[in-house]
Amino acid sequence: MSKKKPNKRWLHEQNSDFYVKQARNENYRSRAIYKLQEIDQKDKLIKPGMCVVDLGAAPGGWSQYAIQQVGQNGQVFALDLLDMEPIMRVNFIQGDFTENEVEQRLLSEIKQERVDLVISDMAPNLTGIRDTDQARSMALAELVLDFCHKVLKPGGDLLLKVFEGAGTQEFRQELGEHFSKIMTRKPYASRDKSREFYVLARFYGL
Ligand SMILES: C[S@@+](CC[C@H](N)C(=O)[O-])C[C@H]1O[C@@H](n2cnc3c(N)ncnc32)[C@H](O)[C@@H]1O
């Protein structure tokens, strides 16, 4: 009897379930953690003692991972529109990153600390109108880049979620003016059907 090859969609759905189950088994709050983990394992982004800012952090998978990796001497500042269950040693701020007052609160928490890595998994609330959603996503990305100018150490890195579409190429070029290496990452845990991908910009100001 010949075995039927499983189709891609079936495999993918199995895969998604796999990440959900794994997150549950490993006490992570979201399957999103495996996206960061995969990128980190490949690119060696997060090291002990680092200061990391996690934008769009709830429910907290990336922050859980980041605080484990930076260890006792590191720091993680997390921000989200939504409330987030506390994570030990993660400094959380609730608010809308697009509001100046919220960004100021975050900056004052960070104090004079220079940041090694900014990670942003933020996505705007979707309207379903593709052009509008894309424009909002790019506007958010620009705000994150502005924030990097305020906090990143020379040599610091940025990992940012974007959606393939108008403006992404120009945005990558803009990043290239400030970071010495720009890469694209589509981790295995990111659903194929999603237009999301991650831009990894390394070595700020070098
Ligand atoms: C995909 S989830 C992040 C998942 C997270 N990385 C994890 O591992 O659990 C995206 C988050 O971005 C947040 N977000 C979107 N726009 C935001 C904004 N303007 N300010 C703050 N948070 C925002 C949403 O509330 C949502 O919780």
Side-chain angles (χ1 to χ4, degrees), residues 99-114:
E99 289 175 10
N100 191 39
E101 174 268 323
V102 173
E103 192 200 42
Q104 289 307 320
R105 262 201 287 151
L106 179 59
L107 290 170
S108 65
E109 284 292 327
I110 296 171
K111 299 192 185 81
Q112 294 306 311
E113 189 76 43
R114 299 306 281 173

Side-chain angles (χ1 to χ4, degrees), residues 1 3 5 15 38 80 91 93 98 102 106 130 141 143 152 156 180 192 199 202 205:
M1 199 173 64
K3 270 197 184 156
K5 209 174 156 199
N15 221 359
E38 183 184 325
D80 204 286
N91 191 333
I93 290 176
T98 64
V102 173
L106 179 59
R130 194 166 166 152
L143 282 182
L152 269 187
S180 61
D192 277 352
V199 174
R202 303 210 70 175

Side-chain angles (χ1 to χ4, degrees), residues 81 123-128 132-133 136 140:
L81 273 173
N125 278 333
L126 297 181
T127 61
T132 308
D133 291 339
R136 286 189 184 171
L140 207 48

Side-chain angles (χ1 to χ4, degrees), residues 23-205:
R24 224 175 278 140
N25 290 341
E26 295 183 342
N27 285 322
Y28 285 121
R29 295 180 182 181
S30 63
R31 68 191 292 292
I33 174 280
Y34 299 108
K35 303 180 195 176
L36 179 61
Q37 184 183 61
E38 183 184 325
I39 296 169
D40 184 41
Q41 285 173 351
K42 181 178 172 69
D43 294 290
K44 313 271 178 291
L45 283 183
I46 313 180
K47 301 194 181 75
M50 275 187 164
C51 175
V52 177
V53 175
D54 181 9
L55 301 171
W62 281 24
S63 284
Q64 286 179 298
Y65 180 79
I67 198 71
Q68 276 170 12
Q69 301 304 309
V70 299
Q72 289 297 329
N73 297 323
Q75 282 180 290
V76 175
F77 297 91
L79 179 140
D80 204 286
L81 273 173
L82 306 175
D83 198 9
M84 185 169 97
E85 283 286 305
I87 297 172
M88 210 172 2
R89 297 194 307 106
V90 171
N91 191 333
F92 176 69
I93 290 176
Q94 185 177 4
D96 183 342
F97 181 69
T98 64
E99 289 175 10
N100 191 39
E101 174 268 323
V102 173
E103 192 200 42
Q104 289 307 320
R105 262 201 287 151
L106 179 59
L107 290 170
S108 65
E109 284 292 327
I110 296 171
K111 299 192 185 81
Q112 294 306 311
E113 189 76 43
R114 299 306 281 173
V115 171
D116 296 283
L117 173 67
V118 173
I119 51 181
S120 170
D121 203 14
M122 283 189 292
N125 278 333
L126 297 181
T127 61
I129 304 164
R130 194 166 166 152
D131 289 352
T132 308
D133 291 339
Q134 183 63 16
R136 286 189 184 171
S137 157
M138 294 321 300
L140 207 48
E142 289 287 351
L143 282 182
V144 175
L145 176 57
D146 268 3
F147 176 73
C148 286
H149 293 320
K150 295 173 193 161
V151 300
L152 269 187
K153 276 181 186 166
D157 298 325
L158 164 67
L159 177 69
L160 171 86
K161 174 157 76 186
V162 282
F163 293 88
E164 191 58 67
T168 48
Q169 202 42 42
E170 292 78 1
F171 183 67
R172 278 177 60 110
Q173 276 165 10
E174 190 183 354
L175 285 175
E177 292 164 18
H178 307 285
F179 293 84
S180 61
K181 208 166 173 199
I182 313 298
M183 290 160 278
T184 298
R185 297 286 178 253
K186 177 79 178 171
Y188 201 60
S190 173
R191 296 183 164 105
D192 277 352
K193 62 184 174 208
S194 162
R195 288 188 300 117
E196 80 172 17
F197 68 97
Y198 293 85
V199 174
L200 175 58
R202 303 210 70 175
F203 316 121
Y204 179 76

